[in-house]
Structure formats: structure tokens, C-alpha cells
Amino acid sequence: PAHQMNKKRKKKPKNKTQATITSCSCIWDRSLPSWLQGTLLRNGPGIFSVGETTYSHWFDGMAIMHSFTFKDGEVTYRSKYLRGDTYQANIAAKRIVVSEMGTMAYPDPSKNFIVKAITFLNHTVPDFTDNGASNIIKYGNDYYATSETNYIRKIDPVTLETQEKVDYLKYLAVNVVTSHPHYDKEGNAFNIGTSIAEKGKTKYTLFKVPAHSKKDKKTSALKNVEVICTVPCRSLLTPSYYHSFGMTENYFIFIEQPFKLDIVKMHNAKHMMCFYLFLLFEQTLIHLIDRKTGKEIETKYYTGAMIVYHHVNAFEDDGHVVFDAIAYDDNSLYEMFYLNKLKEGADLKDDSYSIPTYRRFALPLHPDKVDNLVKLKYTTASAVKEKDDKLICQAEVLCQGLELPRINYDVNGKRHRFVYGCCVERSALIGKFDTETKTMVRWSEENCLPSEPLFIPRPNGEAEDDGVVLTSVINSNQGQSGFILVLDAKTFKEVARAYVNNELHKDMHGFFIPHGN
């Protein structure tokens, strides 16, 4: 628990939940590559209890940010809580007063009945939280802690200080936005959000946040946001949930899946998860959008019911758009992360939880009437035309049990070979998957839990896997501390590690900022 994270320090803060970790030098076990210069930012839930109240779901914990700065063969670690409105309100009240995805904030039991009733009604349809505990994203020259609501929090990437609160709705009509934007070589960011019943219509909005020009570095890049296109929702009152999307040189790939947000239930749900529903017998609709024209192509692509949280990559090849994604057969993943389930030792070995599968889809751009429209020899993915000219797509399963996928982002939108991720079929592993040979190389250490692995390319490296992989590791071995691990991306062998004289936490996602950027 985050409130215990300072127990190893000599001086304990008066209020443990408000504690921050000061910067501290780390101890290297081996030599660090001299070319590795920059800062790795990590973000995830950190505080799960305030006063006598406790969050119900792991995703709900108040955000804690970590940074590992690599410079001249040394590394400095720093960690701070995201001190947004949610954090400030909860700490001031000494209890959880802001509802989250899996936790309803109830009235203070010491208040009288009228106050309780008013508080409950106000929280039935709460203003979304600004507890950005999912990822770190970049718009222009600014960095933000984000979840998936309309609020993001600007942060200082060096000190991790919390800065101003930014509301997407001031710039474009989106109520929820993904925490996984894409970036091009010029520094432009691309993202997608949902407009819920805006002017009587529910739609998905793809938008571009331009890179900062040298003339307007001080203004927010969001002031120059551009709407690329809007895609109408299949159902006005049940837009799809999505966590990421795909992008190639010429196309966006958006999956409208049968994991949905029930807008009607928002008015009486106990918490956000209560108004999500999974429609097992509804097909998944795959939208392909032309980046240049902003128009959806006419062909409609369908596949069976599935839930995708993380796209891996997408690319174009010989008249096809190929995209890779980690998919589930149902929504049981969210159920597994309720804190009571985690305390009971729930994991994916349990048959009641869906195992993630790495799936490759191939979408023909110019379909004809042959049985299988996919003409690529390196995949068994298929697409068959049915009546009304809709295509039914079947994916090739490349492997099982891989999640939190990352690639060399220099090949994003191009055909890739290697993918790095967490091997969730065995809970304490990270792996490097070869999409050509279908083989996996793994790293593990007893009683150690690694986070999402991030690939950092060697400057001027020629091979796709020429670089290192960074992962922060929770170490539960007696008398040992957590560490930042550096692996050779080619061999997946350890290059170096730095022990941190503080407790690390299981986090979600990270962002690497090269030195000088």
C-alpha cells in the first residue's frame, strides 16, 4: 500500500497519505550504456485507503508517478502523488469523497440524513475524476497525467509537480478520451474520444493536437486542436468502450466493440463499472478511416464479440491494412482487479477469467468475391464477403498470455517483428515475442514483479531490436529493495539494474523522454 511506502525511511511524515518520496540516487549493479540518456516516467494507482474508507478496485487508487532519470551512467529516482482535485478533496475530508470507476463515494456517516441524501444525489451522476492514474501523454511541449475522462493534469516531467487541470471539453466535445494517443515524426499527437449525446447524437471524434511551433511554445497545444473526423455510434445510448486505437501511414483503425457504456444507467449507477455492459452475441465493427480525407472507407469489417484494451501496431501491405491487438473473449479482466479478488489471489490461471490472445487481423482494401480475400502469405487471418458487402474477418492468433504490449515506436505504423510485454499466463514475467518465428524469450526472477517493459532504441541503431528494454521491478525478497532493470533488447539478457532505496508500486503505463527533448 502506498501509505506504507515510507516505512523504510528514518523520518516518517506526519500524514502518511500525503507523503512524497524525495529524489534519491540509485546503486548500479552493473555498468549502464553510455548512450542511454533521458527520463522514464511511470504512472499508476498508489493510494488505496484514505482514513477509514478504501477503494474497491485497483484501477481506482489515487495516482502516484515515478521517474527514473538516466544521465552520464547514473540514475536518479523520484516519486510523487498526483495532487489533483480528487487527491486534495479526499485528503482534506480524510476519506474518499470522489467516485471512481469501481468505487462509489458515499456520504460521511457522521452527517445527518438530509446531508446524506443531498450528497448521494450529487454523486449519482458525478463530475468525472481528475485522478489520472493510467498513463503519461504529451501534447505539444507539455506532459499530462491521464486516465480516460475529460480531465487531464499537466505535470512537470522533471520535478513531477502537479500543475493545472485541463478539461478537453473546453477545446472539443469529448466526454471520455483514450490514454493512448499516437504520435508522428513531427510531434503531432492523434487521439480519439466519445461525445455522449452531444446535440442529440453520440459519436466518436478523432482529433489531432499539432506539435508546438517555435513561436507559440507558451500556449497550450490543445488550443490548436483539429477534428479529423467523427464516426456515428451504432447506438445512441450505448457507445463502445475503448482504450486505444491503431494508426498506419494512411489509415486509423478504430474498433467499435460490444463492451459498452449504458448512458441510461449513468443516472442511477453506484459507480462507473455499473453502467458498462458486454453484449456477447453482438459483432465487433472495425472502422477504417482515411487519414488524408478524414472519411471512413465504405467497406464494413466485422468480427466476433471481443474486447480489446491494447492495440499492438498496424501497417499496410499489398492492398491490406494489418493490425495486431490483444483481445479478450469477455470483460472478466475488470472483475479480476477488484481488491477483494486480488487479496484472494485471483489470476488468469483461474478458468473464470479470459486469457488475453495476441490476434492479427488483415483488412483487404479492395475486396472482390473470392472465398478468402486476404492474399498475404505470412498470416492465416481471413476475410470473407457476405451479403450487403460486409466482410467477416477472422484473426490469426499469434500467441496467448501477452499484455501491455510495446514495440520500437520508430516502426509504429510499419510492419514490425518484435513485441515486448508482460506474460500474464505466469504473473511475474516479461517477454520479447517474435511475430515471425512465433517464439517468446522471457525474463523473470524469484519473488520479483516487473512492470510494462519499454523499448528504448539505440541512437542510429539499424536493427529493430537494437536498444534496451526498461522495466521497474517490485522486489519482495526479504531485505531487498525494488529496482529499475535494463535488458539488452536483442538477447533479453540483463545489462544493469539500479536498486531504489524506497518501495516501488505496480503501475500501468510509462513514457520515455530522451535527453534534450
Side-chain angles (χ1 to χ4, degrees):
H3 61 273
Q4 296 179 355
M5 66 196 310
N6 292 280
K7 65 183 180 182
K8 294 183 179 181
R9 300 177 67 183
K10 292 181 180 179
K11 294 182 180 180
K12 293 185 178 181
K14 293 181 180 179
N15 188 333
K16 294 181 181 180
T17 56
Q18 295 189 63
T20 60
I21 302 174
T22 57
S23 61
C24 59
S25 294
C26 300
I27 303 170
W28 284 110
D29 191 44
R30 296 184 180 92
S31 60
L32 181 69
S34 59
W35 59 263
L36 183 58
Q37 307 277 332
T39 298
L40 171 64
L41 301 177
R42 306 282 315 166
N43 192 8
I47 298 177
F48 299 96
S49 298
V50 183
E52 296 182 357
T53 58
T54 302
Y55 286 110
S56 301
H57 202 279
W58 184 75
F59 293 167
D60 296 345
M62 289 194 289
I64 184 169
M65 301 172 291
H66 308 267
S67 73
F68 300 88
T69 299
F70 302 86
K71 185 178 181 181
D72 301 329
E74 295 182 349
V75 63
T76 300
Y77 169 78
R78 178 181 279 112
S79 181
K80 287 189 178 181
Y81 295 121
L82 181 68
R83 296 170 181 261
D85 292 353
T86 296
Y87 175 95
Q88 301 290 359
N90 288 342
I91 295 302
K94 298 181 180 179
R95 64 190 318 276
I96 297 170
V97 295
V98 179
S99 298
E100 298 285 347
M101 177 174 285
T103 305
M104 175 68 180
Y106 288 99
D108 188 330
S110 65
K111 304 293 184 181
N112 63 42
F113 174 78
I114 295 177
V115 174
K116 287 182 181 181
I118 294 174
T119 307
F120 177 79
L121 290 172
N122 286 339
H123 280 79
T124 302
V125 188
D127 188 19
F128 283 133
T129 177
D130 70 341
N131 179 34
S134 177
N135 203 358
I136 303 292
I137 63 175
K138 183 182 182 184
Y139 288 145
N141 294 323
D142 300 325
Y143 295 87
Y144 300 88
T146 180
S147 57
E148 295 177 324
T149 73
N150 56 297
Y151 293 121
I152 53 179
R153 270 284 178 179
K154 185 179 175 183
I155 64 164
D156 185 316
V158 177
T159 66
L160 299 184
E161 292 292 337
T162 303
Q163 299 179 340
E164 60 262 32
K165 178 180 178 180
V166 175
D167 185 353
Y168 278 112
L169 286 169
K170 290 184 178 180
Y171 304 101
L172 72 166
V174 285
N175 303 93
V176 292
V177 182
T178 85
S179 56
H180 290 283
H182 280 286
Y183 307 92
D184 63 17
K185 300 295 183 182
E186 289 72 38
N188 301 304
F190 303 86
N191 212 340
I192 184 171
T194 302
S195 302
I196 299 176
E198 196 257 340
K199 295 182 179 179
K201 297 179 180 180
T202 301
K203 57 189 178 183
Y204 311 106
T205 301
L206 270 159
F207 60 92
K208 171 185 175 181
V209 182
H212 263 307
S213 67
K214 294 181 179 180
K215 296 181 180 179
D216 60 356
K217 285 186 176 181
K218 293 184 178 180
T219 61
S220 170
L222 278 167
K223 290 184 178 180
N224 299 315
V225 66
E226 303 169 11
V227 173
I228 298 171
C229 76
T230 59
V231 177
C233 176
R234 281 194 283 179
S235 172
L236 174 66
L237 299 178
T238 55
S240 286
Y241 169 83
Y242 49 93
H243 186 68
S244 61
F245 64 103
M247 185 176 82
T248 70
E249 181 181 353
N250 296 297
Y251 298 95
F252 293 109
I253 302 96
F254 169 60
I255 299 176
E256 191 172 8
Q257 54 197 11
F259 187 33
K260 300 193 171 190
L261 170 66
D262 190 329
I263 297 175
V264 175
K265 286 186 178 180
M266 290 177 68
H267 296 282
N268 56 12
K270 292 181 179 180
H271 50 73
M272 288 179 67
M273 280 308 299
C274 288
F275 50 76
Y276 282 101
L277 66 157
F278 177 62
L279 305 178
L280 178 61
F281 301 104
E282 182 174 296
Q283 288 184 315
T284 300
L285 173 58
I286 303 167
H287 298 273
L288 205 56
I289 298 146
D290 190 308
R291 287 181 58 183
K292 293 182 175 65
T293 65
K295 296 181 179 180
E296 187 174 1
I297 69 169
E298 293 182 1
T299 304
K300 298 296 181 183
Y301 304 93
Y302 291 86
T303 190
M306 66 177 185
I307 295 178
V308 170
Y309 301 106
H310 296 113
H311 282 249
V312 180
N313 190 26
F315 56 92
E316 300 165 36
D317 190 7
D318 192 21
H320 302 74
V321 170
V322 180
F323 75 91
D324 294 359
I326 307 299
Y328 294 79
D329 292 332
D330 56 42
N331 62 332
S332 58
L333 177 72
Y334 271 115
E335 296 296 321
M336 190 180 76
F337 279 90
Y338 278 99
L339 293 182
N340 61 337
K341 299 285 183 66
L342 293 176
K343 289 176 182 178
E344 294 170 0
D347 59 37
L348 291 173
K349 297 175 185 177
D350 188 334
D351 292 339
S352 62
Y353 298 110
S354 173
I355 295 176
T357 55
Y358 184 141
R359 304 183 193 183
R360 170 164 288 178
F361 291 88
L363 311 180
L365 292 171
H366 309 290
D368 48 31
K369 296 183 179 181
V370 298
D371 291 338
N372 181 13
L373 302 171
V374 177
K375 301 175 183 178
L376 303 174
K377 295 181 179 180
Y378 55 80
T379 181
T380 59
S382 64
V384 177
K385 182 178 287 188
E386 291 196 346
K387 56 184 179 181
D388 301 325
D389 287 334
K390 74 177 185 179
L391 268 60
I392 303 300
C393 303
Q394 296 295 333
E396 175 187 7
V397 176
L398 300 185
C399 72
Q400 291 187 328
L402 188 72
E403 249 294 9
L404 302 177
R406 301 299 292 254
I407 62 170
N408 179 345
Y409 203 76
D410 288 343
V411 298
N412 187 61
K414 304 174 184 176
R415 186 176 175 182
H416 66 285
R417 179 173 178 178
F418 302 110
V419 180
Y420 310 90
C422 293
C423 303
V424 296
E425 84 279 9
R426 286 181 260 173
S427 60
L429 298 173
I430 53 174
K432 173 189 179 182
F433 180 67
D434 187 328
T435 62
E436 293 184 4
T437 64
K438 311 295 192 299
T439 57
M440 181 88 72
V441 181
R442 297 174 174 86
W443 178 92
S444 66
E445 192 165 303
E446 188 173 2
N447 299 321
C448 289
L449 181 63
S451 67
E452 166 202 60
L454 235 66
F455 175 87
I456 313 300
R458 182 190 302 274
N460 302 315
E462 295 183 0
E464 182 185 329
D465 58 351
D466 189 359
V468 297
V469 170
L470 303 179
T471 180
S472 58
V473 181
I474 298 172
N475 188 352
S476 59
N477 287 296
Q478 187 67 31
Q480 299 181 22
S481 59
F483 53 93
I484 181 75
L485 178 67
V486 183
L487 299 176
D488 184 313
K490 280 184 175 293
T491 64
F492 224 57
K493 300 292 185 182
E494 181 174 339
V495 173
R497 67 174 65 185
Y499 290 96
V500 179
N501 195 24
N502 269 298
E503 286 190 57
L504 297 177
H505 298 82
K506 181 65 178 172
D507 52 34
M508 289 196 183
H509 298 295
F511 191 104
F512 185 79
I513 307 172
H515 178 68
N517 190 340

